[in-house]
């Protein structure tokens, strides 16, 4: 349970979706942190999936994995990147999860004969979730997915209304994000959609205490006063959320508009204490004025929605910040290599990255990308599926195993990548059935790896043991280790029991590393991940050669 001093800020959205509520929440978290407060960020998602793990990345965007093995919404990635607070399972919940818990309780007979209803049983479960797994946080920022007025959001809005009433206005603030569209023919930012959205929120009993209005230009005083008047909010708490040249400038932009100041004012907290934004200014400067540029070709399958690779794009940008260069990304659909020569699309890039992925479609193209990188000495970074494809490539072309493949694509004579049904986590054995559920059954979350003495990765991490987050069902088959190592592919990171290959590398290549985990999930702008920093460094070097 939370302590009696924890304050709760609920962030809802209205008018349209995709307003960047997640980013706004993350930026506010960073600002409160810069004021010396301890924060935690959470997301309540109104959809019926138990978690986003089974959703298509091109619909929902990336699935963000936590250390404790939860598959969560990509906004948790923003939260972690902006605050450095590792996200946990208890930071994201969906309608599906709430209902499955309530129904499981009903089946156990825990409701002692009561008629189980949305109010109070579902709303109680939501409130319990909001206050669970907290200790000495000063602020909990709780974002509600979706848009006010959606049928699905109603139980969540009712729950936060009750919650706010129970802890009292001195410990709860409702912040509503809206849009002020600019109508060129009228030459005005229009406030009516915002007024309607605030009214919609009021119709479920929630009076917004602060508004965050997305706009492409400053809000004229007149419009601000109008919004304040009609929405029953003080004019200084109508904050302009102006478009920012980079997401890492958002904390600075919002600070200038008085967002954190007004939050402190609302809670009657001291506003005069100094705020240290030096970190964010430094990051913004580096992004604004890089000293060079490199191009990375990202060869994947979900390139139609860049959000599918959210953390990856960010981690590459962080690698750029570390090297003081801009990292330009060329998103290449791997299926293109089925018909065309890889060289046409990869000749100009300074590094090739094959990210995580699922299924056979596009896999041969990724194998070709790995082959191109290996043969041409172009830096190659294979992540999860990208490592598995690099291993298949090496098996086929270096170790003379032409039929090497993954059992993910069907039975094969040489399963250099195969389904794992049993593995070790700490002192425990984890297992999955061959034909079991797809949801929540992958090897998920943080696992340690031991790095080989003298390997490239050991030099990059500068540590003997690492911990990284996983999300996969298949593994590189350890039984092929000797054969592949003889052919030149070093298994430079292994699980502590030596059974699961975690990292492979080509010692004789400028930079060729494949990792079974997802390092992009832990990279931050103020703490770029060492693998991304070094990959971008290698790409800079490569760019000097051409
Ligand atoms: N499809 C592969 C597996 O399940 C890789 C998963 C991934 O890249 N995240 O093992």
């Amino acid at each position: 349970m939370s302590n009696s001093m924890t304050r709760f800020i609920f962030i809802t959205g209205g008018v349209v979706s995709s307003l960047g509520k997640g980013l706004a929440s993350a930026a506010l978290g960073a600002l409160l942190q810069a004021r010396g407060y301890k924060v935690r960020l959470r997301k309540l998602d109104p959809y019926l999936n138990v978690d986003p793990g089974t959703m298509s990345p091109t619909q929902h965007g990336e699935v963000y994995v936590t250390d404790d093995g939860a598959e969560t919404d990509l906004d948790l990635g923003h939260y972690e990147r902006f605050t450095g607070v590792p996200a946990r399972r208890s930071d994201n919940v969906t309608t599906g999860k709430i209902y499955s818990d309530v129904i499981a309780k009903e089946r156990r007979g825990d409701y002692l004969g009561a008629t189980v209803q949305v109010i109070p049983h579902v709303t109680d479960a939501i409130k319990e979730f909001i206050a669970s797994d907290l200790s000495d946080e000063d602020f909990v920022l709780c974002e509600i997915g979706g848009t006010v007025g959606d049928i699905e959001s109603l139980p969540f809005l009712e729950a936060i209304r009750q919650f706010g009433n129970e802890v009292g206005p001195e410990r709860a603030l409702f912040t509503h994000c809206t849009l002020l569209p600019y109508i060129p023919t009228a030459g005005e930012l229009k406030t009516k959609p915002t007024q309607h959205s605030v009214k919609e929120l009021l119709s479920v009993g929630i009076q917004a205490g602060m508004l965050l209005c997305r706009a492409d230009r400053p809000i004229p005083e007149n419009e601000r006063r109008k919004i304040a008047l009609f929405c029953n909010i003080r004019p200084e708490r109508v904050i302009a959320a102006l478009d920012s040249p980079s997401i890492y400038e958002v904390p600075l932009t919002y600070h200038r508009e008085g967002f954190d100041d007004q939050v402190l004012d609302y809670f009657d907290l001291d506003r005069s204490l100094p705020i240290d934004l030096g970190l964010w200014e430094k990051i913004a400067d580096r992004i604004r004025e890089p000293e060079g540029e490199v191009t990375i070709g990202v060869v994947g399958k979900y390139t139609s929605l860049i959000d599918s690779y959210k953390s990856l794009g960010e981690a590459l940008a962080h690698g750029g910040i570390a090297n003081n260069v801009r990292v330009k990304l060329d998103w290449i659909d791997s299926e293109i290599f089925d018909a065309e020569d890889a060289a046409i699309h990869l000749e100009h890039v300074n590094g090739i990255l094959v990210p995580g992925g699922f299924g056979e479609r596009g896999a041969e193209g990724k194998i070709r990308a790995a082959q191109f990188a290996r043969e041409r000495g172009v830096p190659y970074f294979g992540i999860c599926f990208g490592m598995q494809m690099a291993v298949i490539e090496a098996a086929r072309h270096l170790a003379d195993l032409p039929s090497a493949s993954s059992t993910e694509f069907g039975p094969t004579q040489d399963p250099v990548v195969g389904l794992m049904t049993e593995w070790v986590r700490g002192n425990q054995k984890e297992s999955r059935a061959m034909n079991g559920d797809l949801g929540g059954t992958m090897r998920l979350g943080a696992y340690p790896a031991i790095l080989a003495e003298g390997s490239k990765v050991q030099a990059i991490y500068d540590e003997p043991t690492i911990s990284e987050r996983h999300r996969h069902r298949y593994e590189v088959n350890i039984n092929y280790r000797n054969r592949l190592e003889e052919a030149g592919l070093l298994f430079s990171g292994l699980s502590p029991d030596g059974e699961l290959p975690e990292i492979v590398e080509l010692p004789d290549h400028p930079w060729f590393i494949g990792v079974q985990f997802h390092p992009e999930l832990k990279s931050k702008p103020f703490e770029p991940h060492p693998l991304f920093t070094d990959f971008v460094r290698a790409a800079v070097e490569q760019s000097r050669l051409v």
Side-chain angles (χ1 to χ4, degrees):
M1 259 326 244
S2 60
N3 73 37
S4 60
M5 287 312 293
T6 307
R7 295 165 184 88
F8 294 84
I9 302 175
F10 296 102
I11 297 126
T12 52
V15 182
V16 291
S17 59
S18 306
L19 280 176
K21 265 185 308 182
L23 215 53
S25 311
L28 178 59
L31 288 172
L32 292 171
Q33 252 185 351
R35 299 253 187 191
Y37 292 108
K38 185 169 176 193
V39 300
R40 175 133 228 115
L41 287 100
R42 309 204 135 149
K43 173 109 193 257
L44 311 178
D45 273 312
Y47 52 72
L48 279 173
N49 304 59
V50 171
D51 62 41
T54 54
M55 283 193 229
S56 159
T58 49
Q59 264 204 29
H60 180 268
E62 163 187 87
V63 174
Y64 189 77
V65 182
T66 60
D67 278 330
D68 58 1
E71 296 178 277
T72 71
D73 186 78
L74 60 73
D75 277 330
L76 272 77
H78 288 310
Y79 305 162
E80 191 168 325
R81 278 189 286 280
F82 276 76
T83 64
V85 179
R88 296 198 290 237
R89 182 177 294 278
S90 54
D91 292 328
N92 188 202
V93 81
T94 67
T95 298
K97 173 86 176 83
I98 294 281
Y99 271 80
S100 66
D101 290 352
V102 168
I103 290 166
K105 258 171 113 174
E106 184 275 331
R107 291 289 80 186
R108 277 200 306 270
D110 289 359
Y111 292 114
L112 305 174
T115 306
V116 182
Q117 293 175 304
V118 174
I119 305 171
H121 301 99
V122 167
T123 47
D124 278 355
I126 297 171
K127 286 191 290 180
E128 256 165 52
F129 180 85
I130 294 169
S132 68
D133 198 18
L134 296 173
S135 53
D136 55 348
E137 283 81 359
D138 298 301
F139 288 99
V140 172
L141 280 63
C142 198
E143 180 192 346
I144 320 296
T147 312
V148 167
D150 297 345
I151 290 177
E152 287 95 339
S153 325
L154 278 175
F156 287 100
L157 296 177
E158 170 59 15
I160 62 170
R161 181 195 68 75
Q162 292 175 15
F163 195 100
N165 190 36
E166 284 159 23
V167 298
E170 55 290 349
R171 284 183 57 209
L173 164 64
F174 295 99
T175 296
H176 192 51
C177 295
T178 69
L179 175 72
L180 298 180
Y182 179 77
I183 306 292
T185 46
E188 277 178 353
L189 281 174
K190 289 300 190 186
T191 68
K192 195 67 87 187
T194 294
Q195 296 178 38
H196 281 303
S197 185
V198 171
K199 220 177 252 172
E200 183 85 40
L201 199 56
L202 198 58
S203 73
V204 293
I206 296 174
Q207 165 67 53
M210 186 165 305
L211 283 184
L212 195 60
C213 304
R214 284 298 301 271
D216 65 354
R217 64 203 65 213
I219 311 175
E221 225 15 70
N222 225 359
E223 270 70 28
R224 188 190 298 271
R225 271 204 305 276
K226 196 153 120 192
I227 297 169
L229 181 70
F230 284 107
C231 299
N232 202 21
I233 292 170
R234 290 191 206 163
E236 60 275 22
R237 294 198 182 144
V238 177
I239 310 284
L242 302 177
D243 298 343
S244 213
S246 118
I247 61 167
Y248 298 119
E249 277 196 44
V250 173
L252 300 171
T253 318
Y254 286 7
H255 175 67
R256 274 196 295 274
E257 294 298 324
F259 193 14
D260 49 314
D261 218 47
Q262 286 305 319
V263 168
L264 296 192
D265 186 54
Y266 175 91
F267 288 112
D268 226 357
L269 292 165
D270 192 354
R271 295 193 275 165
S272 61
L273 297 174
I275 175 165
D276 183 7
L277 292 174
L279 193 67
W280 294 104
E281 272 151 16
K282 207 170 111 200
I283 292 166
D285 281 350
R286 284 236 170 168
I287 294 174
R288 232 178 285 143
E289 282 171 38
E291 279 166 9
E293 180 179 285
V294 290
T295 304
I296 304 293
V298 182
V299 182
K301 187 165 70 172
Y302 315 122
T303 46
S304 59
L305 182 73
I306 300 307
D307 267 2
S308 342
Y309 301 116
K310 190 84 218 168
S311 296
L312 184 79
E314 294 309 320
L316 284 162
H318 305 161
I321 293 173
N323 287 281
N324 220 352
V325 292
R326 193 159 79 91
V327 178
K328 199 172 143 256
L329 301 181
D330 243 9
W331 301 97
I332 301 164
D333 184 344
S334 60
E335 280 184 279
I336 223 163
F337 299 144
D338 292 345
E340 289 171 28
D341 185 11
I344 305 171
H345 299 275
L346 295 173
E347 201 92 63
H348 68 289
V349 302
N350 308 119
I352 295 170
L353 194 150
V354 176
F358 293 83
E360 189 169 17
R361 185 169 60 81
E364 285 301 321
K366 295 174 188 176
I367 293 170
R368 251 171 237 141
Q371 182 178 9
F372 177 89
R374 180 178 61 75
E375 290 176 350
R376 301 285 192 101
V378 179
Y380 177 86
F381 195 177
I383 293 181
C384 206
F385 200 64
M387 162 184 176
Q388 297 174 356
M389 295 309 106
V391 171
I392 292 173
E393 194 281 316
R396 287 185 191 170
H397 304 124
L398 293 177
D400 199 23
L401 293 164
S403 61
S405 187
S406 167
T407 57
E408 184 170 358
F409 315 146
T412 163
Q413 202 182 319
D414 274 309
V416 293
V417 179
L419 181 71
M420 215 28 175
T421 52
E422 241 179 41
W423 66 95
V424 178
R425 173 171 218 148
N427 302 323
Q428 267 178 317
K429 241 199 183 126
E430 302 254 344
S431 63
R432 77 160 74 89
M434 275 280 192
N435 300 313
D437 282 355
L438 286 184
T441 55
M442 285 188 253
R443 184 152 84 99
L444 287 166
Y447 281 87
I450 318 276
L451 307 184
E453 200 63 54
S455 63
K456 272 193 192 148
V457 281
Q458 208 226 27
I460 293 169
Y461 276 98
D462 200 19
E463 273 171 279
T465 309
I466 56 162
S467 169
E468 294 280 5
R469 297 180 193 169
H470 290 247
R471 180 174 187 252
H472 53 103
R473 217 175 294 281
Y474 298 83
E475 309 273 352
V476 170
N477 189 339
I478 193 76
N479 298 325
Y480 287 89
R481 178 180 180 181
N482 288 345
R483 179 103 186 226
L484 285 163
E485 288 202 328
E486 273 160 29
L489 187 72
L490 178 69
F491 283 45
S492 52
L494 292 172
S495 58
D497 65 359
E499 289 295 323
L500 305 175
E502 292 275 7
I503 310 178
V504 295
E505 62 183 72
L506 284 174
D508 296 332
H509 187 284
W511 211 99
F512 194 104
I513 295 175
V515 296
Q516 187 54 76
F517 43 82
H518 289 275
E520 71 274 23
L521 301 177
K522 291 202 348 184
S523 187
K524 291 149 198 114
F526 42 83
E527 201 187 312
H529 191 287
L531 283 174
F532 283 91
T533 301
D534 208 62
F535 176 59
V536 174
R537 184 199 53 74
V540 171
E541 238 161 66
Q542 199 274 351
S543 74
R544 294 205 179 110
L545 296 178
V546 287

